[in-house]
Amino acid sequence: TVTRSVASIKSFYNCLLSGTGGEQPSPKRDCGEGGAQAAQILTSREVELFLEQPDCSDLKGYRDRAMLELLYATGIRVSELIELDVDDLNLYAGVLHCASKGKERVIPLYPAAIRALEEYLRNAAPQLINEPDETALFVNMSGDRMSRQALELIKYYQEKAGIQKDITPHTLR
């Protein structure tokens, strides 16, 4: 970004001039707004409407509801979601074991997320998983581990719910 480039150049000049008493040769410029955009916050009604969108009348609906509930319940990243294995989930204890970036966390689940995961594991996962040795918690319609399709699911259900705000995985966190 422009702001980052200008900051780097100024730091470079300061380093060159340290100890010489010289002044910063770069002009003082306003580079516009810097920093990242603040994430949009959903109202509780928008969250409810969003999470209600997957239709659990088919395999995809069960899977999608479980994925969205899990993203919302735990605040995990999409990369962590698609890397989850069935063994990472302990529904009896109501927790999820998540290992990412060299750290392992035990994350509690709330009842709606547990219910969505139980329904997915009972009604959809056995039919979606083709290979008996598949360890992935979430698989696509071909039976392979999910890829970053979860991002597309979020946009699809946002539009289906008629929510005008831009919903990203970070919004759900």
Side-chain angles (χ1 to χ4, degrees):
T1 65
V2 174
T3 304
R4 188 174 285 176
S5 295
V6 170
S8 296
I9 291 169
K10 285 181 179 182
S11 292
F12 177 69
Y13 281 129
N14 287 336
C15 181
L16 289 176
L17 297 174
S18 65
T20 65
E23 286 201 24
Q24 176 68 262
S26 65
K28 295 196 184 296
R29 299 183 58 159
D30 181 17
C31 298
E33 295 181 23
Q37 261 187 329
Q40 294 186 346
I41 298 172
L42 300 177
T43 65
S44 59
R45 179 64 193 132
E46 288 171 328
V47 170
E48 289 173 13
L49 186 62
F50 177 69
L51 293 176
E52 290 170 356
Q53 292 311 303
D55 180 16
C56 292
S57 62
D58 62 3
L59 303 175
K60 187 177 180 298
Y62 281 111
R63 184 205 60 205
D64 292 354
R65 170 150 304 151
M67 289 175 67
L68 294 179
E69 285 282 357
L70 196 57
L71 280 172
Y72 179 68
T74 62
I76 62 175
R77 296 173 181 82
V78 171
S79 58
E80 294 170 331
L81 177 79
I82 61 178
E83 291 172 7
L84 288 175
D85 290 332
V86 176
D87 292 342
D88 295 329
L89 193 61
N90 184 340
L91 293 178
Y92 180 74
V95 296
L96 172 75
H97 295 269
C98 182
S100 175
K101 297 185 178 186
K103 298 177 185 175
E104 185 173 330
R105 302 177 309 218
V106 177
I107 306 169
L109 301 172
Y110 65 86
I114 293 171
R115 203 168 27 260
L117 287 161
E118 287 173 339
E119 290 174 358
Y120 164 69
L121 291 171
R122 181 178 52 251
N123 299 323
Q127 296 165 344
L128 286 173
I129 297 173
N130 296 332
E131 300 294 323
D133 59 340
E134 178 63 65
T135 61
L137 178 58
F138 295 110
V139 295
N140 60 25
M141 298 309 286
S142 301
D144 300 319
R145 184 180 288 273
M146 289 289 290
S147 61
R148 299 213 38 106
Q149 291 169 324
L151 293 172
E152 296 170 21
L153 294 175
I154 292 171
K155 295 296 176 200
Y156 171 75
Y157 289 116
Q158 169 194 338
E159 290 174 10
K160 190 174 175 185
I163 299 172
Q164 299 302 315
K165 295 176 182 172
D166 187 33
I167 302 175
T168 65
H170 195 73
T171 307
L172 297 175
R173 296 182 84 192

